[in-house]
């Protein structure tokens, strides 16, 4: 079906001089070197997805990858399901490319922490590129001293701090595989990840700051270590970073403080050349760089293995060519170390940017992050759609802050509602490039997102990114036309496709485990359409305008798509109406305010149809009235269609979210269709206690349709 498009014809942002952008500079080089006459972004995009070998080879040269390139790029005839090898003659090291800048003046990072009552003005840590390199060199030697080898897993259970970043760089410098879990994960959630990958060493912190409080972290680390020993006889080395509580001398037996671990590397100088330089372990393009995990809300988290060369090349394309970032940029992304946006942020080092590492809550004081923008001169501000949604209800940065350095705002994690585009341009910055971006943990990069050469239209992601052959398919596998919703697929191979799920062949795992992982990988991405990559997002590609080749409107996850009466539509269509009509800032206490909502489908008529149930969270003390219920239905009917109107609207106390801030529609859908809560993994949720209310409501809802 055709999905209503609330976008306006006039763009919210227009680049002043698109021909001066890095993207058009790259287009000019391609024209000159390939004898072409490409004129628009669409021309360049079409060429990049039909000549993937030439395009990705040219990207390598354009962004200055450090390493041996070779002559091979990729088999042009291969289908995505073949997961072909890329640059099989190449030799490179990801960390070497991150640390190509060695300046003693340029800042590599600034670490800042949320204030607490005991530390209302916490000190900020500034680290130059030269200092970062020296620390990584000492860590390389310390890791060699433990006898680590390429392919060994090094894990982190840490906050977003300097030590965590340095440990990642040092581990990958010697060819180890990085595995990260955020400090806000419970020990059970980390256990089910780490037991799959068997790390040799774990870096952690003694405490974290959140909501104005210091939270001890060592008890969670101890629980994790005890469970790893009991479940799989694993006893990894442990290094505790940052010593917030200055209790390094009281660490359990066998654990080391960060300071002592660094000192051991400074003494032994292993893995260093005669002049003290790091001996980079250059491996093939497809060598495993890190393992990221799926959310695991309905099953064991999937260990997704990403190739070093693919992550490097893709990130450099996104940040240098598409986003046009420069060494002068001050790059901030609000993220934990367990979200792929941390990996995205770290890639800014390869351009010589200054990264802002923040530990703490984003909204306890809504002004705090915007004060950071002014004080630290942030130019690129990354966050989640959920943060912008919360912020829009309580705060208007424009007029209270300078924000003159800000040029980009990135949003991801969930679809950015149309009304939030208006909020950003009206109440944050009228001249900023607002880039809603989409990709995911599966590819640790982007399918669609930002381009400084293109305008921004309300409710749309700017464009499909270069080299990513994105289309939309019907459930039957037929390509849908622009303006019609479908399943997001990628019909050509791309270099940041995962190598597979862990364990991979050649790393010592039993053959049956390797084969099971390979089959699980196939089922995840290639079972739906067999030959092309199926991503699991329900989207709409808009008709091309301004030469962009069509933007994207995200309609929700495919497994959460609603289908009442055979009419398919995404949940974001419902959320956009609610955002526009029932939570316009700053009506916090209005009788028409809806704080949050969740839409799911409930099976009816013996499984042959479904009805939509809309759960709403209202401000404290408010009760869902007949008047509000009728108003919700009327607005949805008017702005969408009668088919979009929920069959039932149910008030709940809270809406469940994953630890990374995503609504968990699929879990609630399972519950209201009869699945027991015992089937759900609570370690993956931020607020699992709220599921009990949905379980209680499910009996009533199922009784209505039985």
């Amino acid at each position: 079906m055709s999905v209503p498009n609330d976008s306006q014809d006039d763009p919210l942002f227009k680049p002043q001089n698109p021909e001066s952008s890095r993207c058009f500079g790259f287009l000019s080089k391609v024209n000159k070197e390939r004898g072409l006459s490409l004129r628009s972004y669409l021309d360049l995009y079409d060429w990049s997805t039909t000549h993937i070998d030439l395009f990705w080879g040219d990207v390598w040269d354009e962004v200055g990858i450090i390493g041996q390139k070779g002559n091979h790029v990729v088999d042009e005839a291969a289908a995505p399901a073949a997961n072909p090898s890329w640059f099989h003659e190449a030799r490179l090291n990801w960390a070497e490319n991150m640390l190509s800048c060695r300046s003693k003046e340029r800042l590599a990072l600034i670490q800042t922490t949320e204030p607490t009552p005991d530390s209302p003005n916490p000190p900020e840590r500034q680290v130059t590129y030269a200092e970062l390199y020296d620390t990584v060199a000492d860590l390389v030697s310390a890791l060699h001293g433990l006898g680590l080898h390429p392919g060994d897993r090094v894990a982190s259970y840490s906050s977003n701090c300097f030590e965590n970043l340095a440990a990642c760089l040092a581990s990958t410098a010697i060819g180890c595989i990085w595995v990260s879990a955020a400090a806000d994960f419970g020990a059970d959630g980390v256990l089910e990840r780490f037991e799959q990958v068997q790390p040799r060493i774990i870096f952690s912190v003694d405490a974290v700051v959140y909501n104005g409080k210091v939270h001890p972290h060592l008890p969670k680390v101890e629980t994790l270590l005890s469970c790893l020993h009991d479940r799989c006889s694993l006893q990894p080395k442990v290094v505790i970073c940052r010593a917030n509580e200055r209790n390094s001398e009281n660490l359990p037996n066998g654990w080391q403080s960060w300071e002592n671990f660094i000192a051991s590397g400074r003494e032994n100088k292993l893995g260093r050349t005669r002049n003290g330089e790091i001996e980079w372990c250059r491996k093939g393009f497809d060598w495993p760089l890190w393992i990221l995990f799926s959310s695991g809300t309905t099953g064991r988290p999937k260990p997704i293995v990403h190739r070093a060369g693919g992550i490097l090349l893709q990130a450099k394309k996104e940040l240098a060519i598409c986003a046009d970032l420069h060494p002068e940029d001050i790059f901030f992304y609000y993220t934990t170390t367990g979200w792929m946006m941390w990996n995205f942020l770290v890639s800014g080092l390869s351009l010589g940017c200054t990264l802002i590492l923040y530990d703490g809550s984003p909204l306890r004081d809504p002004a705090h992050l915007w004060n950071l923008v002014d004080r630290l001169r942030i130019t690129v501000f990354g966050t989640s759609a959920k943060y912008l949604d919360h912020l829009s209800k309580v705060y208007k940065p424009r007029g209270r802050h300078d924000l003159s350095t800000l040029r980009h705002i990135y949003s991801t994690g969930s679809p950015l509602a149309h009304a939030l585009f208006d909020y950003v341009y009206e109440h944050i910055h009228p001249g900023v490039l607002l880039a809603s971006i989409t990709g995911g943990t599966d590819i640790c990069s982007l399918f669609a997102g930002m381009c400084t050469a293109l305008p921004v239209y309300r409710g749309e992601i700017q464009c499909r990114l270069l080299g990513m052959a994105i289309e939309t398919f019907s459930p039957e596998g037929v390509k849908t036309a622009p303006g019609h919703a479908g399943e997001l697929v990628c019909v050509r191979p791309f270099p940041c496709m995962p190598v597979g799920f862990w364990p991979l062949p050649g790393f010592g795992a039993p053959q049956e485990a390797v084969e099971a992982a390979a089959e699980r990988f196939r089922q995840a991405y290639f079972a739906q359409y067999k030959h092309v990559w199926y991503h699991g997002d329900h989207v709409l590609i808009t008709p091309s305008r301004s030469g962009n080749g069509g933007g994207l409107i995200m309609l929700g996850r495919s497994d959460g798509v609603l289908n009442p009466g055979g009419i398919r539509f995404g949940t974001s269509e419902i959320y956009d109406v609610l955002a526009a009509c029932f939570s316009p800032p700053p009506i916090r206490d209005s009788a028409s305010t809806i704080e949050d909502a969740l839409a799911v489908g409930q099976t009816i008529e013996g499984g042959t149809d479904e009805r939509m149930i809309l759960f709403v969270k209202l401000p404290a003390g408010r009760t869902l009235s007949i008047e509000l219920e009728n108003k919700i239905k009327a607005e949805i009917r008017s702005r969408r269609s009668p088919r979009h109107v929920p069959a039932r609207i149910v008030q709940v106390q809270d809406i469940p979210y994953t630890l990374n801030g995503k609504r968990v529609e699929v879990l609630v859908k399972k519950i209201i269709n009869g699945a027991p809560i015992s089937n759900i993994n609570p370690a993956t949720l931020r607020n699992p206690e709220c599921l009990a209310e949905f379980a209680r409501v499910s009996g009533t809802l199922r009784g209505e349709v039985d």
Side-chain angles (χ1 to χ4, degrees), residues 86-159:
W86 289 80
F87 294 92
H88 64 227
E89 298 169 359
R91 291 295 179 270
L92 56 82
N93 182 277
W94 176 82
E96 182 181 8
N97 281 267
M98 295 302 111
L99 292 174
S100 59
C101 178
R102 303 279 290 279
S103 171
K104 294 182 180 179
E105 289 77 36
R106 181 173 295 165
L107 291 179
L109 59 92
I110 301 172
Q111 180 179 314
T112 182
T113 306
E114 179 188 358
T116 66
D118 293 334
S119 182
N121 296 294
E124 289 176 349
R125 184 175 187 178
Q126 299 187 352
V127 180
T128 67
Y129 271 91
E131 291 168 337
L132 177 59
Y133 181 92
D134 289 343
T135 299
V136 171
D138 290 338
L139 283 170
V140 162
S141 298
L143 292 171
H144 274 294
L146 293 179
L148 267 69
H149 299 96
D152 286 340
R153 276 73 66 205
V154 175
S156 162
Y157 186 16
S158 179
S159 57

Side-chain angles (χ1 to χ4, degrees), residues 1 3 45 438 447-448 464 468-491 528-529 532-543 549-556 558 568:
M1 66 169 288
V3 174
Y45 174 78
T438 186
F447 278 128
R464 295 172 285 179
M468 309 301 279
I470 304 307
E471 304 289 355
T472 53
F473 278 14
S474 71
E476 296 75 29
V478 178
K479 179 181 173 181
T480 59
H484 291 260
E487 304 300 322
L488 188 152
V489 298
C490 195
V491 300
Q528 183 77 10
Y529 296 117
V532 304
W533 175 282
Y534 166 73
H535 198 60
D537 281 328
H538 194 58
V539 307
L540 178 147
I541 299 175
T542 64
L552 252 70
I553 297 177
M554 305 300 295
L555 303 174
S558 300
R568 289 167 54 85

Side-chain angles (χ1 to χ4, degrees), residues 245-262:
E245 299 174 355
R246 301 301 173 195
N247 60 356
S248 300
E249 67 278 7
N250 297 322
L251 295 176
N253 284 338
W255 296 22
Q256 271 189 286
S257 70
W258 173 264
E259 294 79 9
N260 290 341
F261 191 66
I262 284 280

Side-chain angles (χ1 to χ4, degrees), residues 284-308:
F285 190 92
D286 294 341
W287 182 258
L289 172 66
W290 48 48
I291 298 172
L292 273 60
F293 287 88
S294 65
S295 61
T297 50
T298 56
R300 203 178 192 204
K302 298 186 290 287
I304 307 167
V305 187
H306 293 282
R307 60 188 93 199

Side-chain angles (χ1 to χ4, degrees), residues 575-636:
Y575 303 144
D576 285 353
V577 173
L578 299 182
C581 302
F582 299 97
S583 58
I587 323 176
R588 187 65 176 174
D589 298 318
S590 166
S592 294
T593 293
I594 296 174
E595 287 195 346
D596 207 348
L598 185 139
V600 296
Q602 183 189 19
T603 298
I604 60 175
E605 297 182 8
T608 61
D609 201 353
E610 72 174 25
R611 63 175 188 165
M612 193 237 290
I613 310 297
L614 178 63
F615 295 98
V616 295
K617 176 184 177 182
L618 304 182
R622 299 285 187 186
T623 301
L624 180 65
S625 64
I626 295 296
E627 291 77 15
L628 178 56
E629 189 171 347
N630 289 337
K631 186 176 181 181
I632 293 170
K633 291 181 177 180
E635 291 290 354
I636 292 174

Side-chain angles (χ1 to χ4, degrees), residues 439-549:
T441 301
D442 311 84
I443 64 171
C444 197
S445 57
L446 309 178
F447 278 128
M450 63 286 190
C451 180
T452 57
L454 296 173
V456 174
Y457 291 95
R458 184 174 185 262
E460 291 186 24
I461 297 175
Q462 282 182 286
C463 59
R464 295 172 285 179
L465 290 189
L466 300 174
M468 309 301 279
I470 304 307
E471 304 289 355
T472 53
F473 278 14
S474 71
E476 296 75 29
V478 178
K479 179 181 173 181
T480 59
H484 291 260
E487 304 300 322
L488 188 152
V489 298
C490 195
V491 300
R492 300 298 306 276
F494 49 96
C496 60
M497 277 178 60
V499 185
F501 291 164
W502 191 263
L504 299 176
F507 288 87
Q511 183 62 26
E512 58 269 23
V514 172
E515 292 175 355
E519 175 58 19
R520 197 180 182 198
F521 181 80
R522 188 193 69 79
Q523 289 288 338
Y525 306 115
F526 302 107
Q528 183 77 10
Y529 296 117
K530 195 171 184 180
H531 296 299
V532 304
W533 175 282
Y534 166 73
H535 198 60
D537 281 328
H538 194 58
V539 307
L540 178 147
I541 299 175
T542 64
S544 181
R545 50 187 170 179
S546 305
N548 70 347

Side-chain angles (χ1 to χ4, degrees), residues 343-359:
N343 308 72
F344 181 83
L345 171 67
V346 170
S347 295
L349 293 173
S350 69
L351 306 181
C353 298
T354 299
L355 309 186
I356 307 299
L357 306 182
Y358 175 70
D359 182 28

